[in-house]
Amino acid sequence: MRPVHLQTQNESPSFRIIFVFVILNFTVTSALRSVDYSGNETDHTALLAIKSQLQVPSNRALNSWNDSIYHCYWEGVKCGRKHKRVTVLDLNSRGLAGTISPFIGNLSFLKIINLYNNSLYGEIPSQLGNLVRLHELRLYNNTLVGEIPGNISRCVNLRVIFLAHNKLEGKLPTGLGLLSKLTNFLVQVNHLTGSLFDIIQNLTSLLLISADENSFIGTIPNSIGRMQNLIFLEVGENQLSGTLPTSLFNLSSLKLFDFDTNQLHGELPPDVGVNIPGLKYFNIQGNNFTGLIPITFQNLTALEVFDFSYNNFVGNVPSYFENFHNLSILNLGGNFLEGDINFIDTLVNCSQLRILNLGPNHFSGILPKSVANLSTSLQVFTIQNTLISGKIPEGITNLNNLEQLWMGNCKLTGSIPQNFGKLYKLEILYLHSNNLKGKIPNSMANLSHLSELYLDDNLLEGNIPPNLGNCQSLLYLNLAYNELNGTLSNELFEGSASFLIVDLSHNHLEGSLSLEMSKQSNLEDLEVSNNKFSGVVPSDLGKCFDLQYLFIDGNYFHGNIPSSFASLASLQEIDFSRNNLSGPIPSFFSKFSLLYYLNLSYNDFVGTVPTNSIFANASGFFVVGNNRLCGGIKQLQLPKCIENRRTKRSKGIIPIISALVGAVAMAVGAAGLYLACIKKKNTPLLLDSMMGKATMKVSYDMLLKATAGFSLENLLGTGSFGSVFKGILDGNLVAVKVLNLQHRSASKSFMAECNTLRNVRHRNLVGVITACSSIDFQRNDFKALVYEFMPNGSLYSRLHGVHENMSLAQRLDVAIDVAHSVCYLHHECETPIVHCDLKPSNILLDNDMVAHVGDFGLARFLTQPQHPNQSSTIGIKGTIGYAAPGNNSVISNYNISTAYTYSK
């Protein structure tokens, strides 16, 4: 069948030509559109795949990414004019999370990828290598991990790589060196390793290199001199080594030069400043460079940052800064530079100067008054740790933008300028370790921004200004090691300041601790050691829950440790030593898991010492000088808290005493004393077998060894004339009394004790193992006596310490023992002896709880009066306290203060 041919009546050949042309045009256009649609469909699908792996925040950043809108109009998407293919993907700073889809590699016309300032994680997809048209890759400020894809070298048109501030690792791919068009390479703040310059040394188009804060290694090759276009070179905080090649200083376009914190060494070339006159930033701090600062730096008058700090430079600083009008930072600290600092005179024209750091160095001489003429833009000024002396210029308060002033550990003298309060922007003030004197200026209360104030280790005097508490930003206050006096005002702690650290130690402050101190709820460190504070320890300190370090040692505090301290679970170090604190040791210290140092030495604590937690740490817990403690771990060498059994004599008296009470018991006691005194004089009363060594020779070295060098661990107690140490001599435990010959009566006491013990032998007297006549020690005016060791301490510790349940029978036994001693001294010696200091602390108990009288340092021989009515002239000796009535020639003092106690 022939096709049907329709023809209108008016149809002509020209009409047919036009019709065919329209049909053909429509066909071709449709075909072209079909091709474009196919490419656009690929881009559309890829974009949706990218979206599917992103978590979008509540701002609905990708809300437009849907099928109702053509993808070339989606947010962050741009397409080319000709082919309508995606050329730009810009979603920076949208708060996006998630990973980068590998479908990004299907956007084959992409030239720019901007995904920086988001929270993307995961690895950079290797499909990026498909984007041969890519010019810019900006992925910085995310948390991307893994290595830089090796096939990135296929992106031959790449000009910009910004991968900084991620968590990328591994070595740089070697293919990076093939990206000949690369101008900007930023990979700083990652974990990249391996060589840097070996990879990029042939990229002569580079303008900007930023690779600091990685772990790159290797040296800087001389070929770096070929990078003649280089403007920005930042490779600080890596592990680069070797020396700087001379070609580096021929890069005439260089504006920024940063090699800080590496392992570079050597001297700088003398012509360093000749060929790079436009240099604005020069930073080599934290390396090992040596030698002098080159004079040719005077050519670099465009410098804004000049940082040589923490190297090994020596010599004087050239005075060539008068033309450095743009200089903002001059940092020379941490070197061995010397001479005076009069080059400051050339800095007064540097109107942009913000930071001037000159310490630590070996600078000396007087602090020039020209400091007051420096730029009012100055924010930080440091001469700390130098030998600079002189006074602080009054005009320093002209620097009214100063925020940090570091002048500690110098040799400054004079007083602190009274108008310091004019530095109203000051945040940090370090004037410690100088020779400053005078008072702390009241005007410092005007420093409302001040957060750190260190005035310690000076000669400052007077009161602490109460209005310092009005410094609302003050966190750290250190006034230790001065001559400050007076009391602490409540205003110091009830003001607006919120202290973290308060150190007032080693002054002459007195009175009680301020109760307002408890308002410092953020306080972490409180040190008031070695002052004259008194009263009780404020219980309200228990409200300072963040307290970590508490030092109140070397004062006159008394009373118990407050129970409220149980809430201070953050404590790590505590020192309450050398006070008059008493009561039991709180067991709650054992619950402080962070506590590793607890010093309670030289107080009057009583009771049982715990053995767990901190109390089990012999290197972190100290209780020496508390004579009423017992128990604890073995290393503390305290007496046991369990009562020892008495001899059979005691056992026989117990049933009798148990039947007596009150006055009857006292009568029996008195009778016992009387019977003891009238015992036969020929009763054999001999010292134990150790007294057989009474004539042994003992040297200073022997005692030094016996007491482990007179260590604190072996210190048993101290008294008016000396100290007593425990030791092991010839295999036996002994007590060694060492005289303090700086006391004017010590030698007299030593001779009295020698003369007495040379003439007495009795089982109820403390035995001297080495006779005085054989042991008159003379080594650097050293004198000592060696006694029997009494393991059960003194009667005082038994009556007033942990053994207050001592039975009446036991007390009677002790009284009888003492009566034997007194009777022997008064009636059985060839010449009667008066003890003159008989008190419970001088009555010591042996292993069997037999009492022995000790400490004959005040003893006197009682000669017969020449006339019947003449009385003794001995008078009252010993510790001031209660003196028993009776013949004034026989004085027995029962004061309860502690003297020498030879106990564990």
Side-chain angles (χ1 to χ4, degrees):
M1 179 182 295
R2 294 180 62 185
V4 177
H5 176 68
L6 300 177
Q7 183 177 359
T8 61
Q9 185 177 3
N10 297 322
E11 187 179 39
S12 65
S14 61
F15 173 81
R16 292 178 182 177
I17 294 172
I18 293 171
F19 179 77
V20 171
F21 176 79
V22 170
I23 294 298
L24 289 173
N25 182 62
F26 176 79
T27 303
V28 171
T29 303
S30 297
L32 289 172
R33 285 183 177 177
S34 177
V35 172
D36 282 344
Y37 180 77
S38 175
N40 278 308
E41 183 66 28
T42 300
D43 289 354
H44 184 87
T45 303
L47 289 172
L48 290 178
I50 291 171
K51 179 183 177 181
S52 69
Q53 292 188 222
L54 297 176
Q55 289 110 47
V56 183
S58 57
N59 63 11
R60 300 162 70 179
L62 302 185
N63 193 43
S64 63
W65 286 38
N66 60 69
D67 291 334
S68 64
I69 301 175
Y70 184 41
H71 65 260
C72 286
Y73 299 105
W74 288 357
E75 180 183 355
V77 177
K78 291 183 180 180
C79 296
R81 293 180 181 179
K82 183 177 181 180
H83 299 296
K84 300 298 181 182
R85 299 296 302 273
V86 175
T87 58
V88 176
L89 180 62
D90 187 356
L91 296 175
N92 77 84
S93 308
R94 299 299 205 282
L96 302 174
T99 60
I100 301 174
S101 170
F103 279 90
I104 197 171
N106 289 354
L107 300 173
S108 55
F109 279 72
L110 263 183
K111 293 183 179 180
I112 297 174
I113 298 177
N114 286 341
L115 297 177
Y116 58 89
N117 284 339
N118 283 293
S119 299
L120 302 176
Y121 52 86
E123 297 185 353
I124 299 173
S126 61
Q127 286 78 3
L128 281 178
N130 299 334
L131 305 178
V132 294
R133 294 179 173 88
L134 193 63
H135 289 183
E136 299 180 14
L137 175 62
R138 303 174 190 265
L139 302 177
Y140 59 90
N141 286 352
N142 283 285
T143 55
L144 299 171
V145 298
E147 298 183 353
I148 299 173
N151 62 356
I152 199 172
S153 59
R154 294 164 57 187
C155 303
V156 294
N157 289 296
L158 261 177
R159 289 160 173 80
V160 175
I161 296 179
F162 280 12
L163 303 177
H165 294 273
N166 279 287
K167 297 183 179 180
L168 301 173
E169 57 190 13
K171 298 180 179 181
L172 297 179
T174 56
L176 269 175
L178 301 177
L179 301 177
S180 60
K181 296 181 181 180
L182 195 63
T183 59
N184 297 326
F185 182 59
L186 281 76
V187 292
Q188 71 266 30
V189 194
N190 278 288
H191 307 299
L192 299 170
T193 59
S195 175
L196 170 65
F197 289 103
D198 286 352
I199 301 296
I200 65 172
Q201 61 181 329
N202 293 321
L203 301 179
T204 56
S205 296
L206 277 173
L207 302 174
L208 188 151
I209 300 172
S210 181
D212 60 315
E213 294 189 50
N214 280 285
S215 297
F216 289 119
I217 61 173
T219 60
I220 301 116
N222 199 52
S223 57
I224 196 173
R226 297 201 298 265
M227 296 182 180
Q228 287 297 317
N229 297 314
L230 197 61
I231 297 173
F232 192 105
L233 178 57
E234 183 181 42
V235 290
E237 298 188 54
N238 281 284
Q239 299 172 30
L240 302 175
S241 57
T243 60
L244 296 179
T246 55
S247 64
L248 185 60
F249 298 101
N250 292 324
L251 300 177
S252 58
S253 298
L254 205 60
K255 296 290 189 292
L256 186 144
F257 182 101
D258 187 354
F259 280 82
D260 78 282
T261 319
N262 278 282
Q263 299 167 15
L264 302 167
H265 63 271
E267 297 187 6
L268 297 179
D271 59 347
V272 62
V274 174
N275 296 319
I276 46 176
L279 193 65
K280 294 184 177 181
Y281 189 106
F282 186 84
N283 184 359
I284 56 171
Q285 71 108 353
N287 283 280
N288 298 305
F289 290 110
T290 56
L292 303 173
I293 298 177
I295 193 67
T296 54
F297 269 106
Q298 64 185 340
N299 298 327
L300 305 181
T301 55
L303 269 176
E304 298 174 8
V305 175
F306 191 33
D307 196 335
F308 274 59
S309 60
Y310 294 96
N311 281 282
N312 298 306
F313 288 106
V314 297
N316 296 338
V317 177
S319 298
Y320 49 42
F321 297 104
E322 60 270 7
N323 295 320
F324 285 54
H325 300 296
N326 297 317
L327 189 63
S328 175
I329 298 175
L330 176 59
N331 190 352
L332 304 176
N335 284 287
F336 300 95
L337 300 170
E338 56 192 10
D340 57 42
I341 58 171
N342 289 332
F343 60 86
I344 283 182
D345 296 344
T346 67
L347 290 168
V348 295
N349 292 331
C350 302
S351 59
Q352 306 300 317
L353 191 62
R354 294 186 301 105
I355 297 175
L356 176 57
N357 181 11
L358 306 180
N361 270 296
H362 292 168
F363 293 127
S364 59
I366 303 296
L367 181 64
K369 292 183 179 180
S370 58
V371 166
N373 299 323
L374 290 171
S375 170
T376 55
S377 300
L378 194 65
Q379 297 172 352
V380 179
F381 179 47
T382 303
I383 59 169
Q384 190 148 303
N385 299 311
T386 65
L387 302 175
I388 294 172
S389 58
K391 296 181 179 181
I392 301 174
E394 292 282 342
I396 199 170
T397 55
N398 296 333
L399 307 178
N400 52 20
N401 283 300
L402 206 60
E403 297 176 1
Q404 299 181 24
L405 182 57
W406 303 76
M407 290 181 159
N409 198 24
C410 295
K411 295 184 177 296
L412 299 176
T413 56
S415 58
I416 302 173
Q418 292 299 311
N419 59 351
F420 237 71
K422 290 184 177 180
L423 298 173
Y424 64 96
K425 291 187 177 181
L426 201 62
E427 299 175 2
I428 296 175
L429 177 57
Y430 277 71
L431 296 176
H432 66 282
S433 304
N434 280 289
N435 296 309
L436 299 173
K437 57 184 180 180
K439 295 184 177 181
I440 300 173
N442 287 320
S443 66
M444 282 191 174
N446 298 330
L447 304 178
S448 59
H449 298 284
L450 191 65
S451 63
E452 299 180 29
L453 177 58
Y454 284 79
L455 304 179
D456 51 301
D457 196 14
N458 278 288
L459 302 171
L460 300 173
E461 56 191 14
N463 296 332
I464 299 174
N467 56 6
L468 279 179
N470 297 328
C471 297
Q472 60 189 21
S473 301
L474 195 55
L475 300 175
Y476 303 92
L477 176 62
N478 193 336
L479 306 178
Y481 291 95
N482 277 290
E483 304 294 332
L484 300 172
N485 52 39
T487 59
L488 284 183
S489 170
N490 287 337
E491 186 181 347
L492 180 63
F493 298 101
E494 66 183 0
S496 54
S498 182
F499 296 113
L500 292 178
I501 294 177
V502 174
D503 190 349
L504 309 177
S505 61
H506 297 272
N507 280 287
H508 307 296
L509 301 171
E510 56 188 8
S512 58
L513 285 184
S514 171
L515 296 177
E516 303 299 327
M517 197 176 289
S518 62
K519 293 183 178 179
Q520 296 296 321
S521 57
N522 296 320
L523 194 62
E524 297 178 359
D525 187 344
L526 175 61
E527 301 185 28
V528 296
S529 308
N530 295 289
N531 278 286
K532 299 178 181 179
F533 289 115
S534 57
V536 298
V537 180
S539 61
D540 279 0
L541 273 178
K543 298 177 182 178
C544 300
F545 303 120
D546 293 332
L547 205 59
Q548 299 175 27
Y549 306 96
L550 179 58
F551 295 86
I552 66 170
D553 51 297
N555 284 286
Y556 301 105
F557 293 110
H558 65 265
N560 295 356
I561 297 175
S563 58
S564 62
F565 279 24
S567 61
L568 302 180
S570 297
L571 279 170
Q572 300 179 33
E573 296 186 25
I574 305 173
D575 196 335
F576 289 168
S577 65
R578 297 180 291 120
N579 279 287
N580 298 316
L581 299 173
S582 56
I585 297 176
S587 59
F588 56 68
F589 285 140
S590 63
K591 298 179 181 179
F592 293 174
S593 60
L594 301 176
L595 188 62
Y596 62 87
Y597 178 82
L598 175 59
N599 192 345
L600 305 177
S601 300
Y602 299 105
N603 281 286
D604 194 24
F605 291 112
V606 300
T608 304
V609 177
T611 57
N612 58 328
S613 191
I614 182 61
F615 301 108
N617 181 7
S619 62
F621 171 58
F622 307 93
V623 289
V624 64
N626 290 276
N627 297 319
R628 297 201 287 161
L629 293 174
C630 68
I633 59 175
K634 182 179 179 181
Q635 291 91 326
L636 298 179
Q637 300 179 344
L638 295 173
K640 294 181 179 179
C641 296
I642 301 174
E643 287 287 348
N644 291 313
R645 296 287 185 181
R646 277 290 285 178
T647 59
K648 292 182 178 180
R649 179 184 66 178
S650 301
K651 294 180 181 179
I653 296 176
I654 289 176
I656 301 173
I657 300 303
S658 300
L660 302 178
V661 292
V664 177
M666 296 302 298
V668 172
L673 291 172
Y674 173 77
L675 290 173
C677 288
I678 63 172
K679 270 196 160 193
K680 290 183 181 181
K681 293 184 179 181
N682 58 359
T683 301
L685 300 171
L686 300 176
L687 293 173
D688 59 22
S689 59
M690 288 187 71
M691 286 305 296
K693 300 174 182 159
T695 58
M696 68 182 294
K697 300 284 186 180
V698 179
S699 67
Y700 172 88
D701 292 334
M702 291 174 65
L703 291 186
L704 192 68
K705 182 178 179 181
T707 60
F710 301 108
S711 65
L712 288 178
E713 289 78 7
N714 287 327
L715 182 64
L716 300 176
T718 58
S720 300
F721 300 142
S723 304
V724 180
F725 296 86
K726 186 176 73 172
I728 300 178
L729 192 62
D730 200 20
N732 297 297
L733 279 174
V734 295
V736 181
K737 180 178 179 181
V738 179
L739 276 294
N740 177 13
L741 297 181
Q742 293 182 353
H743 194 292
R744 62 180 182 177
S745 299
S747 293
K748 186 177 180 180
S749 172
F750 175 77
M751 293 307 299
E753 195 150 14
C754 286
N755 290 334
T756 302
L757 295 177
R758 190 183 293 121
N759 290 277
V760 297
R761 290 288 180 85
H762 193 279
R763 70 188 301 272
N764 292 120
L765 300 179
V766 174
V768 59
I769 296 175
T770 302
C772 298
S773 59
S774 303
I775 187 177
D776 190 4
F777 289 89
Q778 297 289 346
R779 173 165 176 168
N780 296 326
D781 295 325
F782 175 83
K783 296 180 183 291
L785 289 168
V786 183
Y787 297 92
E788 294 178 89
F789 182 74
M790 296 293 161
N792 278 314
S794 69
L795 175 61
Y796 177 80
S797 66
R798 290 280 160 173
L799 293 176
H800 303 285
V802 294
H803 298 291
E804 293 180 357
N805 60 345
M806 191 176 181
S807 69
L808 186 58
Q810 291 172 317
R811 300 178 189 216
L812 179 58
D813 284 330
V814 171
I816 292 173
D817 292 338
V818 174
H820 278 302
S821 301
V822 174
C823 185
Y824 170 77
L825 294 172
H826 291 184
H827 301 289
E828 298 181 20
C829 293
E830 182 176 347
T831 302
I833 298 173
V834 181
H835 188 279
C836 292
D837 198 18
L838 188 61
K839 57 187 178 183
S841 57
N842 286 340
I843 297 169
L844 308 178
L845 306 173
D846 66 14
N847 197 52
D848 295 320
M849 294 294 288
V850 175
H852 300 254
V853 174
D855 195 355
F856 288 85
L858 296 178
R860 296 291 185 269
F861 287 90
L862 187 63
T863 56
Q864 293 298 324
Q866 295 178 353
H867 303 286
N869 295 326
Q870 181 181 346
S871 62
S872 172
T873 59
I874 293 176
I876 297 179
K877 304 287 185 181
T879 309
I880 300 301
Y882 169 72
N887 188 316
N888 68 349
S889 65
V890 184
I891 301 296
S892 297
N893 189 333
Y894 288 94
N895 185 282
I896 64 172
S897 64
T898 303
Y900 305 122
T901 302
Y902 316 143
S903 60
K904 287 184 180 179

